[in-house]
């Protein structure tokens, strides 16, 4: 059995490799190579259990997660990957932020315009940094604005990231509307239960990633954005219909929203025009993909 701490996961898996692995996992999901049971949710979302089996390699992963949004860190988790070569046990919180960043990298590479240079990140929690790492891995970003309710936290995160990307300008603020007004890519990584901005504040060619809301009661995006977007991509339709407040509410309101699964979009890439959206609630196939790199 191999065991990986949070720091060891970071050292072993560069973001570019995580993006490559997660992209291939969605091709495999589209091809029917995964058995992917629905996520088990206990205690109103305070405890989650996720699992996936990959038939071509006869390997599986199980992740247990404890979530307390009033605690820092909010997520504590453990991942166990099992195959013929043995087992891998890894820090699940770090692996979750890494694989969530990676799927955003896959979606941004698919949907954002190639010349995107301005990124706005909304949120300063545990998921935030990997959102930036992922987008910078697939687009020539020159300016990153980090927005948070606490300017000190936003400024601290900006300073930490600036140390890693000397060629990129990092700024911090508290006004979402100001920060997204000229953004090419927007990443939402919050636990909000109400939309973070109005459609009118968003540029017409922006690509938006939303990964923070994972319960039906949570919502980061305005519903009219989903109706307005030329393409709305979700990680998996079944999961989105069960867990994404934005998708559930938009369809319940009768809005003309037709989500496309990421695997299908990768297999037959869309021709985006105007605004685009990627909504993720997270799949165990992503955990499998990144943990496989540790095996």
């Amino acid at each position: 059995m191999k065991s990986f701490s949070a720091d060891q996961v970071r050292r072993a898996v560069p973001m570019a490799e995580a993006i490559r692995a997660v992209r291939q996992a969605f091709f495999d999901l589209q091809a029917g190579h995964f058995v992917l049971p629905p996520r088990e949710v206990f205690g109103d979302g305070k405890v989650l259990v996720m699992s996936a089996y990959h038939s071509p390699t006869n390997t599986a992963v199980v992740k247990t997660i404890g979530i307390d949004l009033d605690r820092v860190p909010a997520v504590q988790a453990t991942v166990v990957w099992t195959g013929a070569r043995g087992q891998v046990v890894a820090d699940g919180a770090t692996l979750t932020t890494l694989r969530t960043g990676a799927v955003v990298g896959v979606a941004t590479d698919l949907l954002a315009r190639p010349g995107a240079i301005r990124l706005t990140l909304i949120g300063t929690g545990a998921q935030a940094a990997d959102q930036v790492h992922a987008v910078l891995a697939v687009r020539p970003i020159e300016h990153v604005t980090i927005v948070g309710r606490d300017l000190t936290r936003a400024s601290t995160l900006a300073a930490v990231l600036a140390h890693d990307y000397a060629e990129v300008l990092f700024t911090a603020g508290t006004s979402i509307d100001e920060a997204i007004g000229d953004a090419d890519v927007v990443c939402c990584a919050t636990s909000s239960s109400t939309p973070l901005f109005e459609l009118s504040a968003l540029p017409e060619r922006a690509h938006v990633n939303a990964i923070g809301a994972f319960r039906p009661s949570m919502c980061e995006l305005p519903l009219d954005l989903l109706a307005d977007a030329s393409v709305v991509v979700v990680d998996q339709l079944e999961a989105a219909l069960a867990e994404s407040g934005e998708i559930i509410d938009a369809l319940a309101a009768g809005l003309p929203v037709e989500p496309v699964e990421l695997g299908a979009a990768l297999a037959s890439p869309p021709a985006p025009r105007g605004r685009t959206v990627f909504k993720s609630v997270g799949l165990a196939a992503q955990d499998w993909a990144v943990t496989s790199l540790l095996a």
Side-chain angles (χ1 to χ4, degrees), residues 15 18-19 22 63 93-107 127 130-131 134 188-189 209-212 235 278 280-283 286-287 290:
M15 179 57 76
I19 291 172
V22 168
K63 181 170 72 173
T94 300
L95 194 135
T96 297
T97 64
L98 182 58
R99 60 82 151 155
T100 305
V103 77
V104 161
V106 174
Q127 296 277 7
D130 278 320
Q131 298 293 295
C188 304
N209 299 300
I211 60 92
D235 38 18
F278 173 60
S280 175
V281 294
L283 299 179
Q286 298 163 233
D287 299 309
V290 176

Side-chain angles (χ1 to χ4, degrees), residues 115-136:
I117 61 171
R118 301 182 71 90
L119 165 65
T120 294
L121 167 67
I122 306 173
T124 59
Q127 296 277 7
D130 278 320
Q131 298 293 295
V132 175
H133 294 316
V135 175
L136 266 61

Side-chain angles (χ1 to χ4, degrees), residues 23-146:
R23 180 185 286 113
Q24 183 58 51
F26 275 92
F27 277 116
D28 285 1
L29 180 62
Q30 177 68 13
H33 294 327
F34 276 102
V35 177
L36 202 64
R39 174 162 40 198
E40 295 284 351
V41 181
F42 305 102
D44 193 28
K46 292 182 173 59
V47 176
L48 310 176
V49 179
M50 303 172 64
S51 61
Y53 170 73
H54 186 246
S55 56
T57 58
N58 196 30
T59 58
V61 71
V62 176
K63 181 170 72 173
T64 57
I65 312 128
I67 301 173
D68 183 348
L69 297 178
D70 295 323
R71 178 185 63 202
V72 178
V75 175
Q76 295 182 336
T78 301
V79 174
V80 179
W81 180 97
T82 301
R85 290 173 288 177
Q87 287 190 317
V88 173
V89 179
D91 178 82
T94 300
L95 194 135
T96 297
T97 64
L98 182 58
R99 60 82 151 155
T100 305
V103 77
V104 161
V106 174
T108 300
D109 197 31
L110 177 71
L111 298 172
R113 63 187 187 89
I117 61 171
R118 301 182 71 90
L119 165 65
T120 294
L121 167 67
I122 306 173
T124 59
Q127 296 277 7
D130 278 320
Q131 298 293 295
V132 175
H133 294 316
V135 175
L136 266 61
V138 299
R139 285 296 180 271
I141 300 296
E142 298 176 0
H143 185 188
V144 177
T145 302
I146 299 174

